[in-house]
């Protein structure tokens, strides 16, 4: 049900730096009452949840993790626009207590916006382990807002945060915020701008001092607001230009840099009053681990070994469960095969149970894969992996932040492409979008498991790992090619925080894992179900074979020129899981015997199976991914380019594998 604002309800927004523990607090607050969608007008993921506390209905919005509200990236724009337009009753600012100085910059910006803020001082356990002594009461007094200690990873302090947020929301005391004094020269220019702003319609957008500061920081979105209103706005922008020129002469630096320095100066003074550190900080466990995993020579091999171990563990643990599920679907299929009329028995046995069952059987693998990935994410290791890969990324012309979408591509290309919104440089962002579909998403996993289990049973973990390596390698090579030939120019560096290692919260990892499995099952129950039924119908009336035979000559040089393989690949564009479902429908067998049936009836060898796996990895992304590429690039041209280049690359790769492999074997 939609959330309706009443006198007995409040809205909370969670804001904080990446890796500050925002997601853990969100999960603690909302539990299973979460909804994931997209922010209005954009395709960046939005998380919202609800709870009831002391008789009060509370809606919680989890804003994207940001370091500031300067509106340089889409995440920053979303976070800031939500606070301005939706006006949550309270913003809970999650701050990493072990990295206060960096985190308080966002706090300063929130306080300058004069919104109701409650500071959640998270990771207090890590701060204590480093012998940091934080005067929480003094910090609260200096900031002028409630400050509540928190250990979100262990669900400690959640109720205190809720109580403080409710008290702040119910308080009638005027929000003072912070009006940081930027010095006489700057304050005079800010005052001039304020006087001009209050005479314009833009003054209704937000408080005039904040708007003046944004103008001095050359904030493009705020500047556009003044451009829209015509003459009055042009006058404000004229004053802004004069102020910027004056302040640049006085301070010898751009006003935006001067303002940033002033904020950090205030934070630096505050830190002296509220934080005591040991004279010589001892090396933490995180530091000692980082000495190894961030080593210039060992970093990438360790990352590769961790991924390989992840796949081996996933398949070894899931195999018995898959066998049990296959056995159940096989018995169910046999029990429906003789139902009258004959077409209904075929639909149930070969179409729904045979086709859909072959996909559903891979749920254990999907569950374990996402479980392992979430553990790596929550533990803090993925931030290290991005750091390790940054140097390589920059050499091939990709932004270091591009690694995040590429890793997310292991799960699903759709949110992975959306994640490229965090990349500021348009060229870097577009290149990242173009190569992200080459990463092995979870939908390809059923194809890999089916063929690896049937043709490489003793080495299935290694073979499947090779598909991931192939995808990463091709993404790197194509990114280098695109940056050298199509998108020439320097790629920008990025700086990211390395959070301390922590034990992943059980509730958090299982909530995340279940959300991904639920999404997979939702696809299985809608898109995949409809596609499999449509495939069964076309196959039942004899339409699939002519289609497959018409296309099959294209794939003959790759070794899988049979009409069955061609038909499965065509329908796989709807969703890569459907490739397996299509085979199951055509042969009328369950996943347990499907691999052996393919080998027997199509005469495939391990070499052909490997070439087909490569084709499934690389060729045209699913329609959901293509739709996302269209939305993110706003261009049919680039969407068409993705369709063309991925198919051409897949064909070349599969043919090369089969032809070269055949020469070596002979």
């Amino acid at each position: 049900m939609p959330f309706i604002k009443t006198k007995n309800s409040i809205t909370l927004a969670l804001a904080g730096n990446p890796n500050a523990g925002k997601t853990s607090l969100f999960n603690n607050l909302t539990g299973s009452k979460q909804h994931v969608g997209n922010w209005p007008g954009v395709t960046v993921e939005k998380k919202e949840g609800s709870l009831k506390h002391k008789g009060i209905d509370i809606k919680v919005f989890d804003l994207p993790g940001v370091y500031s509200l300067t509106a340089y990236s889409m995440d920053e724009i979303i976070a800031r626009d939500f606070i301005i337009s939706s006006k949550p009753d309270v913003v809970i600012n999650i701050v990493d207590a072990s990295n206060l100085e960096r985190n308080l910059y966002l706090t300063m910006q929130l306080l300058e916006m004069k919104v109701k803020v409650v500071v959640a001082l998270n990771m207090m356990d890590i701060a204590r382990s480093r012998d940091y002594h934080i005067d929480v009461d003094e910090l609260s007094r200096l900031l002028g807002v409630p400050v509540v200690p928190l250990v979100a990873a262990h669900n400690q302090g959640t109720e205190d945060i809720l109580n403080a947020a409710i008290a702040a929301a119910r308080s009638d005391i005027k929000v003072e915020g912070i009006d940081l004094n930027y010095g006489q020269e700057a304050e005079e220019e800010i005052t001039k701008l304020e006087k001009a702003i209050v005479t314009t319609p833009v003054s209704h957008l937000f408080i005039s001092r904040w708007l003046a500061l944004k103008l001095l920081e050359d904030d493009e979105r705020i500047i556009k607001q003044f451009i829209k209103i015509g003459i009055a706005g042009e006058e404000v922008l004229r004053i802004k230009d004069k102020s910027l020129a004056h302040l640049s002469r006085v301070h010898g630096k751009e006003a935006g840099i001067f303002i940033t320095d002033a904020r950090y100066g205030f934070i630096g003074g505050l830190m002296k009053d509220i934080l005591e550190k040991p004279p010589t900080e001892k090396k933490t466990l995180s530091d000692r681990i980082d000495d190894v995993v961030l080593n210039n020579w060992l970093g990438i091999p360790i990352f590769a070994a961790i991924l390989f171990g992840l796949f081996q563990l996933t398949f070894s643990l899931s195999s018995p469960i898959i066998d049990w599920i296959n056995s159940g679907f096989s018995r169910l299929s046999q029990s429906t095969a003789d139902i009258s009329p004959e077409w209904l028995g075929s639909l149930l046995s070969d179409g729904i149970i045979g086709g859909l069952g072959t996909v559903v059987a891979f749920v254990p693998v999907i569950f374990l894969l996402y479980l392992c990935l979430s553990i790596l994410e929550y533990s803090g290791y993925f931030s290290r992996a991005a750091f390790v890969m940054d140097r390589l990324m920059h050499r091939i012309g990709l932004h270091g932040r591009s690694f995040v979408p590429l890793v997310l591509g292991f799960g699903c290309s759709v949110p992975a492409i959306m994640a490229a919104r965090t990349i500021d440089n348009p060229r870097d962002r577009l290149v990242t979008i173009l190569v992200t579909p080459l990463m092995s998403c979870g939908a390809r996993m059923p194809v890999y498991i089916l063929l690896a289990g049937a043709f490489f049973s003793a080495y299935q973990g290694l073979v499947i790992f090779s598909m991931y390596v192939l995808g990463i390698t091709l993404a790197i090579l194509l990114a280098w090619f695109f940056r050298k030939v199509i998108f020439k120019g320097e790629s920008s560096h990025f700086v990211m925080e390395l959070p301390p290692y922590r034990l992943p919260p059980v509730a958090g990892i299982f909530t995340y894992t279940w959300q991904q499995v639920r999404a997979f099952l939702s696809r299985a129950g809608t898109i995949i179900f409809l596609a499999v039924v449509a495939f069964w119908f076309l196959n039942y009336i004899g339409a699939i074979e002519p289609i497959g035979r018409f296309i099959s000559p294209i794939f003959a040089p790759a070794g899988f020129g049979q009409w069955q393989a061609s038909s499965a690949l065509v329908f796989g564009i709807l969703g890569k899981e459907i490739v397996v479902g299509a085979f199951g429908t055509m042969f009328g067998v369950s996943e347990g015997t499907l691999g052996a049936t393919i080998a027997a009836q199509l005469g495939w060898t391990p070499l052909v199976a490997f070439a087909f796996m490569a084709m499934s990895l690389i060729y045209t992304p699913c329609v959901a991914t293509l739709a996302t590429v269209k939305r993110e690039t706003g261009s049919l041209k680039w969407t068409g380019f993705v369709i063309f280049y991925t198919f051409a690359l897949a064909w070349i790769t599969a043919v090369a594998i089969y032809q070269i492999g055949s020469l070596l074997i002979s």
Side-chain angles (χ1 to χ4, degrees), residues 455 559 562 587 596-606 608-609 658:
F455 294 91
Q562 304 83 12
F587 293 118
T597 303
I598 291 173
Q601 296 202 22
L602 301 186
W604 281 13
T605 63
V608 175
Y658 179 71

Side-chain angles (χ1 to χ4, degrees), residues 253-262:
K253 61 179 73 171
E254 293 180 7
I257 296 174
F258 168 75
I259 290 170
T260 299
D261 289 346

Side-chain angles (χ1 to χ4, degrees), residues 401-577:
R401 199 181 291 273
S402 299
F403 179 76
V404 177
L406 295 180
V407 169
L408 289 176
F410 289 152
C412 177
S413 296
V414 172
I417 292 171
M418 292 178 188
R421 284 265 179 143
T422 61
I423 302 171
D424 304 333
N425 187 301
R427 288 192 301 258
D428 293 333
R429 180 173 170 268
L430 184 53
V431 171
T432 302
I433 290 172
L434 294 179
V435 302
T436 294
L438 296 175
M439 307 303 285
S440 281
C441 68
R444 279 120 159 163
M445 186 65 72
V447 181
Y448 300 161
I449 296 172
L450 171 68
L451 299 180
F455 294 91
F456 306 95
S457 57
Y459 307 101
Q460 61 176 337
L462 180 61
V463 169
I464 293 174
F465 177 67
S466 71
M467 287 294 109
Y468 282 78
V469 172
L470 177 61
I472 293 170
T473 302
L474 289 173
I476 289 173
L477 292 175
L478 264 295
W480 176 84
F481 176 78
F482 291 153
R483 282 307 250 120
K484 293 294 182 182
V485 176
I486 304 177
F487 306 102
K488 296 179 180 180
E490 274 294 309
S491 180
S492 54
H493 287 283
F494 88 120
V495 178
M496 70 176 300
E497 300 286 345
L498 293 180
Y501 292 99
R502 60 181 74 97
L503 288 175
V506 175
I509 62 174
F510 276 101
T511 298
Y512 171 82
T513 302
W514 168 240
Q515 287 173 346
Q516 306 309 314
V517 172
R518 184 173 60 186
F520 179 81
L521 290 173
S522 176
R523 282 169 55 85
T526 53
I527 298 172
I528 299 173
F529 173 79
L530 294 174
V532 166
V533 170
F535 190 90
W536 169 86
F537 176 74
L538 292 173
N539 188 53
Y540 186 78
I541 64 175
I544 284 293
E545 184 172 350
I547 295 173
R549 290 193 183 281
F550 178 76
I551 300 169
S552 59
I554 298 174
F555 301 108
F560 43 87
Q562 304 83 12
W563 67 267
Q564 295 93 333
S566 303
S567 303
L569 286 171
V570 169
F571 270 77
I573 296 175
L574 296 176
K576 296 304 173 75
E577 311 97 325

Side-chain angles (χ1 to χ4, degrees), residues 300-316 369 372-373 376 381-382 410 445 458-469 472:
I300 293 179
I302 288 174
F303 177 50
I306 288 175
L307 286 183
F308 177 69
L310 181 153
F311 297 132
Q312 289 286 73
L313 178 67
T314 297
F315 304 131
S316 61
L369 177 64
C372 292
L373 289 175
L376 292 178
Y381 177 72
F382 266 162
F410 289 152
M445 186 65 72
Y459 307 101
Q460 61 176 337
L462 180 61
V463 169
I464 293 174
F465 177 67
S466 71
M467 287 294 109
Y468 282 78
V469 172
I472 293 170

